[in-house]
Structure formats: C-alpha cells, structure tokens
Amino acid sequence: MTNLYKVKQEICEIGRRLYQRGFAAANDGNISYRLSENEVLCTPTLICKGFMKPEDLCIVDMEGNQIAGQRQRTSEVKLHLAIMKARPDIRAVVHCHPPHATAFGVAREPVPQCVLPEVEIFIGNVAIAPYAIPGGQEFAATVLPFVHKTNVIILANHGTVSYDETVEKAYWWTEILDAYCRILMLSRSLGRVHYFTEPEAQALLQLKQVWGLKDPRLELQNCELCANDVFRESWRQSQVCPQAFSPPLFQSSGAPGETCTQGQSGGNGQTPALPAGSSGGASPGIPAAIPPEQLEALVQMITDRVMASLAQAAT
C-alpha cells in the first residue's frame, strides 16, 4: 500500500529541489503521483514549490476533478493525467521550467546527440512537443506522440515534463537534461562540439541493450545515430530547426518533417567538422560489424565512466 504521507513529503522535497536549482521560479511548475487506479496526488496552483507542506497537496481523479485538499489543484494537471493514461507504468510526473533545456524549446533547436555517454544511456533523443496554451486538453495532447519513446520531453516555448515510476526518478530526467543542455551551450561558446564516431555511438546502444534499457533508434531502419532521427518527423509541426548545432551525419535532403536546410552552419558561419570515421552523406545505418576487441574495449570504457558518474552523484 502507498504511504500517503511519505509520498507527500517526497513531493515537497522535489519541489524544494526544483526551486533551489532555479527550475521553478515563484509558483511555476507542478508535480504529481498516482496513488491508485483513479486517484492522483498533485501540487496546488499558486504556491511556491520550494515552500510546500504536505497538507498543501491535493488529490484528483483521472479526469482532473478534485476530490481532496484544501487548496485548488494545479491548472496543468491534465498534462500529468494524459501521460499516466498513455503509460500505465508511469506513476510520477514533474513539470517545470529548467532554463537551459527550456532555452532549446524557445529556440526550437533540437538537442544534439552523441556527446556524453551518460545522456546517451539514460535519455537518448529528446523530443520538442508543439506549443499549445497551457492547461487545456489540447496542451496535454501535445506530448502523446512522444511518451512511449522517452521519459523527458521539452515543451516548445514553455518548459519540460519528465515522468517515471517514482517522483525522484521523474525529477532525475529533468536534472540530467538541463545539465546536458548547459554543457552544450558552454561547449558551443568555446567554438565547437566534438561528437562520437559511429562505432562509439553503436557501442553505447549495445551497452543500453545489455542493461535492459530501450532506445527507439534500435527500431529504425537506416538510422543516422547522431542526427536526431527518432523525432525528426515531428519537427515541422513543432517548428523545430537546427541552427546553433549541426550534429554529424544529418540526412542531406528530403528528411521527413524537414523544415529548413540540413547540415547548415553552427551559428558561427562554419559547419562543424565531422569526427573521424564519419561522412556528410546519408548513412547506411548502424554499422553491422565492429572488431570484437574494439567493441569490448569501448563498452568497458563507457561502462566505467557511467558507473563512476552514478557513484559520484550518489555521494
């Protein structure tokens, strides 16, 4: 059985983290947790997430009707409920406005891949959902094309939403994404971003399989691993277009959902150089053969780095 008071305390703790990290200014953001088949605990509207108390929280049914709580439930609860309905395995949802990840949504800039092992392992491709006025069913529906392929989504001109089986895990994906977006911006300000080669990217995907983690890139045919292929078809509707970052191996033309010239300059008038072993044309997909000794070394190196990062985060 769910310990209601313990979950309330956890939501308040995550609210404090959101506020302290600048992910939720003033009364921004909202958090929810599914208590049962038809009951969802959620944060109230018009309250600072950094100073909530357990008694401030509300309970709604799966249609958003408030059934408990002295304060009025969040106006964006329909977003949370839409995710829970689409993904029965999801129990917790966190929505906030982390500044670096939100900046990508404001710029409609796809988040480049093949840069950090931890991000490739735990997040992968990041979708940018189309903009809609917050609060209504239309807004909630913007995330539905993406919820089965990722656990964190950027909301165009709004913020982010992340979700998992616990409030803590749901929050993690937001924190990882915003830290990654900040690193990308800092690296870009230094002049360039160096991407993984195709063998290195494939080794990460194989490591995810070993760990039992899914990645939608494994389901694609002729996928260019570092080219944001998974959600590219949604770019036209979301008005997403690469301007600041030009990852290697972009499809040269005719890409589904293409809204602008691919492989354009990275914002400084120069197209970033491709890593060794990569080419600018269409990729035939994930390389079929890598020498076993090279693959084993790559997987071991990546595993060591990921585990070291997790150990450091835990302390």
Side-chain angles (χ1 to χ4, degrees):
M1 295 179 61
T2 300
N3 185 322
L4 179 58
Y5 189 75
K6 183 177 180 181
V7 175
K8 287 184 174 182
Q9 288 180 311
E10 185 177 15
I11 288 178
C12 291
E13 168 59 26
I14 296 302
R16 280 190 288 272
R17 291 195 217 173
L18 293 176
Y19 184 70
Q20 290 169 356
R21 292 189 66 88
F23 291 178
N27 62 348
D28 287 353
N30 27 80
I31 307 168
S32 67
Y33 182 84
R34 188 168 186 173
L35 298 170
S36 65
E37 184 176 348
N38 196 46
E39 291 184 328
V40 175
L41 183 67
C42 68
T43 53
T45 190
L46 299 177
I47 190 172
C48 178
K49 303 308 171 293
F51 300 93
M52 289 187 302
K53 299 179 179 63
E55 56 266 29
D56 292 324
L57 304 185
C58 316
I59 297 178
V60 300
D61 63 22
M62 286 299 289
E63 301 307 316
N65 302 306
Q66 186 162 338
I67 56 180
Q70 298 180 353
R71 289 179 173 270
Q72 183 179 351
R73 54 89 164 163
T74 172
S75 61
E76 295 180 332
V77 73
K78 291 183 179 180
L79 172 67
H80 300 240
L81 299 177
I83 293 171
M84 291 176 183
K85 289 178 181 179
R87 292 270 306 271
D89 59 309
I90 295 301
R91 300 195 70 175
V93 179
V94 174
H95 164 55
C96 57
H97 308 153
H100 304 94
T102 300
F104 276 79
V106 171
R108 311 291 177 94
E109 177 76 24
V111 179
Q113 300 302 301
C114 296
V115 176
L116 293 181
E118 295 81 1
V119 173
E120 291 297 300
I121 292 292
F122 296 113
I123 293 183
N125 280 183
V126 180
I128 299 181
Y131 176 77
I133 296 175
Q137 199 61 47
E138 179 187 0
F139 166 62
T142 61
V143 302
L144 295 182
F146 315 109
V147 293
H148 291 283
K149 295 183 178 180
T150 180
N151 274 42
V152 60
I153 300 170
I154 294 176
L155 308 171
N157 288 79
H158 189 162
T160 63
V161 62
S162 55
Y163 37 93
D164 211 305
E165 60 185 3
T166 68
V167 179
E168 176 87 16
K169 288 184 178 180
Y171 165 76
W172 279 352
W173 309 135
T174 292
E175 187 174 272
I176 292 171
L177 177 61
D178 195 70
Y180 179 49
C181 290
R182 183 169 183 260
I183 289 169
L184 288 169
M185 292 178 179
L186 291 172
S187 301
R188 184 68 185 81
S189 71
L190 293 175
R192 68 170 183 162
V193 174
H194 188 83
Y195 298 92
F196 296 139
T197 63
E198 280 190 307
E200 290 169 334
Q202 186 191 10
L204 287 167
L205 285 182
Q206 294 192 13
L207 180 58
K208 292 185 75 168
Q209 287 184 298
V210 170
W211 286 3
L213 301 175
K214 296 181 180 179
D215 192 302
R217 286 176 291 182
L218 294 169
E219 303 170 5
L220 299 179
Q221 298 295 323
N222 299 321
C223 170
E224 297 179 80
L225 293 183
C226 304
N228 297 85
D229 273 347
V230 173
F231 300 114
R232 187 185 292 240
E233 291 186 6
S234 69
W235 284 6
R236 186 182 302 278
Q237 183 182 8
S238 301
Q239 298 179 315
V240 172
C241 178
Q243 298 279 355
F245 297 87
S246 295
L249 301 178
F250 267 107
Q251 295 180 6
S252 56
S253 63
E258 185 177 12
T259 59
C260 57
T261 303
Q262 304 296 335
Q264 57 188 291
S265 68
N268 62 352
Q270 297 180 351
T271 300
L274 301 180
S278 301
S279 64
S283 167
I286 301 174
I290 297 178
E293 62 277 6
Q294 179 185 357
L295 179 58
E296 183 178 352
L298 279 170
V299 170
Q300 186 61 53
M301 177 191 69
I302 294 164
T303 302
D304 291 344
R305 287 188 58 182
V306 172
M307 297 305 296
S309 296
L310 289 175
Q312 184 177 8
T315 59

